[in-house]
Each structure stands twice: as C-alpha cells, then as structure tokens.
Amino acid sequence: MVKERARILVVGGGYVGMYTALRLQRQLRQEIGRGEAEITVVTPDPYMTYQPFLPEAAAGAVSPRHVVVPLRHVLPHCRVVVGEVTAIDHARRTATLTTLATDEEGTGPRRLTYDELVLAPGSVSRTLPVPGLADHAIGFKTVEEAIGLRNHVIEQMDIASSTRDPAIRDAALTFVFVGGGFAGVEALAELEDMARYTTRYYHNVEPEDLKWILVEASDRILPEVGEDMGRYTVSELRRRNIDVRLGTRLESCADRVAVLSDGARFPTRTVVWTAGVKPHPVLAASDLPLTERGRLKCTPELTVEGVTHAWAAGDAAAVPDLTAGRPGAYTAPNAQHAVRQAKLLGDNIARSLRGEPLRTYAHAYVGSVASLGLHKGVAHVYGRKLKGYPAWFMHRAYHLSRIPTFNRKARVLAEWTLSGLFKREIVSLGSLEHPRAEFELAAGGKPSDESSGDPKGSS
C-alpha cells in the first residue's frame, strides 16, 4: 500500500502518457480514492491523437473527431492540465510549465512539484535548414495538420479548375511530399486516392493533371516492411503515376518552387514535410541523462538510468532491446513498442510505490502494416509478406484493435461500414481555419492577421 501521498507527474498526453496514466488510475484506484495518490497529466492538447489514422482522416475515411480521445473522459481520476512543460529540475523534483492561463494573465511560467516523474512527451518534426520550408511547408503529425492538408488539396483543385493561367494551374495541381516513412507514404497514397476520385466532379480536371511527387533521401521507402515490400510499394506508387524519387533531397522550396538535389524544379503550392522526427525539446531542458541522439537513457524496467523516481517510454526513451541478442540495441521509437511499454510502465510505477519488484520490458518486433489507399496496402508480419487487399484489411483490423476506448472503435467501424455503402465526401471546409473572417468584414472591421493570413501550405 502507498504509505504517503504520491504525487505523480505525467509529461505528455499521447499514447504513452494516456495509457500510463490510465494504468496507474486502475492500479492505484483505492489510494486515489483516499487521497493518498495524485496523478497530474500535463499535455499541450486535452486529447490523445491516434496518429496511424491521420492519413485516413486526411482522406475523409475517418472523422477527425474519432481519431482523438478526450483525456478528461478517459482519465476521470487524474488532474489534466493543458499546458507545456518547458524545463525539468529532477534533483529538486520540480517542473516548469506554461498554460493557457499564464499566457492570458501574463504571470509567467508555473512550477509543479512531484514525487514520481513520467516523461512521455513524444517527438516533434525533424526539420532541416531548407530555404522556404518554414514559410510554405506543412507537417503531418497532428489532426489539425491532417484536416488542414485535406482542405488545402481540395482548395488547390478548385483553384486549378477556375483559373485560366496554366502556370497557376500547374502549381496548384503539383503536390510534393518529403519523406518515405510511414507518415509520408500513407499520407500521399491516401490523398492521391481521394484526389483522383474527386476529379470526377470537376469538368476540367482529370486524374492525369495531378502531379504527385515523393522525395526520399535514402535508396528505399518504408524500411519497416522489409526490402521486398518496399520495392513493391515503389512499383505500386509509380503505377499510379506518382513520381517516386529515391536518393534525392529537397534543397529549397522558396518562392513556391520545390528544388530537388537531382536538379528538378517543380512550381508547387503544396510541400508536405514528413522527413523524420526528433526527441521533444523538453528532454534537453532537463537534468536527466540523454543518449547521443537526445533520447532518455533508460533501463529495461523503464526507469531513467542513474536516477531514482524518473520513468520514460515511447519516442522519448532509449529502452534496451532485450530481444535483439546484442548489446547496445534499443527498441525502435514506434507505436508497437509504445503500446506495450505504456502498460508495463504504469504497472512498474505502482509496484515501485508498493515496494514490489519491477518487471523488465522485452518484446520482439513482429512486423509492420501500411495502407496505400482504399483496398491497397503492404504488410510484413511474423515473417509473412502481404500486399493489396489482404494487407489493407490487416492494417485496418490491427489499428481498429489498437485505437483506445470502445466508443472510438465503434465509431470508426461504423464510418468504415457507411463509407463502403456511400460515395466519398469531397467537401472542403477550409474556412474553419479562420471562422471570424467573414463576420469581421460584415461588421466593417479590418480582418485580423489571424483571419486574413495565409496558412502554411495554402494559397
């Protein structure tokens, strides 16, 4: 039993943060009920985003509301603070954070004290000093970016349909994706599938008018599904007239022209950056030990190496891979490990508070699945290679089983069922990004920068 009130701080409300807090909430239910344990979750958003469904949300196959899980609903016995931890002084057991209230009041950052620290901030987009990238590109890590990209793609088709300038039309119908990992390939494949279907509703835009380009710096894409399936994916994408350029880098996208390292130049109004991730900056703003790549040094028990009362898992943690059979190997920062690490992490914290022995994390990587659009996919699972419809079906079945809560599983399944009976939705709601713009003009005011500004990646 917990002898004293344990203040547990969970940094991050993503998959690891949410499931760790949920596990702790169940394990320490009696202690929380008596006020002997307190769990605080600090997260930039009041919901967890199931990122594997972002490509389908962008394509309109899944409602954006159904790929997020409200934390306050799932964690009723935890204190959820919408904010961001900016620094950690673990020696003093304090975390510095900013919240919406401190921003509005101008009172400066707050400080939280804790007894047990759980670091699960996830990762952020890894960018390079490419000219024009910050001004014109869009990422693909949040549900807002996914829906914004969907609106933007359809908006570009509207622009191309209504202009008489061939240069504007060509730039509007050129879409450049940088990065050949899961995010880039799945996002491109799903959006290409959606856009090709959408052209049937335009009298002067044909599927052949759309130009899709995938830029990858290495010599292969989707390395997680194996070399053979990676080559098949390249062939499948090229069969759909998608220009896949391996061993190529984006050198500039200034002035809305994508300049590639192979000398190609593409005037474009759409550059999507999915070229990898890096550890969250809060790790560097802590006094905890890091690897040379900026991840937290962890033990197989998911504690932070060399310190007490600090725990980590997921993208932020370098966890030794006990199944690799060689020293110095770490588990890959992917969803498969994050799901399992989160459950063990919650259990181990509860065991630590009760003075029980900890368990080690050991999970052999079983493979990966990827969607390439409706009824198309690739998979390499338990040594078996699948492609086409079977791989696509496995992709959907696996992720349906992994998305949290029965509520979300039922809603996603219902949407998939209805989408099989009715036609795709092709509506663009780009105005949602600036909801006050029309009213400001009607009221005789000047549109604010937020209303009139050009969102990243749009026209």
Side-chain angles (χ1 to χ4, degrees), residues 58-59 149-150 153 177 187-196 212:
L149 182 58
R150 168 187 170 80
V153 168
F177 285 67
L188 181 150
E190 291 282 357
L191 284 165
E192 188 274 338
D193 213 19
M194 178 206 73
R196 182 161 28 84
W212 299 84

Side-chain angles (χ1 to χ4, degrees), residues 3 55 67 101 135 142 228 248 310 322 332 369 371 423-424 431 442-443:
K3 302 301 181 183
V67 303
D135 298 322
T142 68
D228 291 343
T248 308
L322 301 183
V369 292
S371 171
K423 295 180 179 180
R424 280 181 183 261
S431 59

Side-chain angles (χ1 to χ4, degrees), residues 76-96:
H77 301 297
C78 298
R79 178 189 175 202
V80 177
V81 177
V82 177
E84 192 153 4
V85 173
T86 57
I88 295 171
D89 187 348
H90 188 65
R92 298 183 179 179
R93 304 291 194 273
T94 61
T96 303

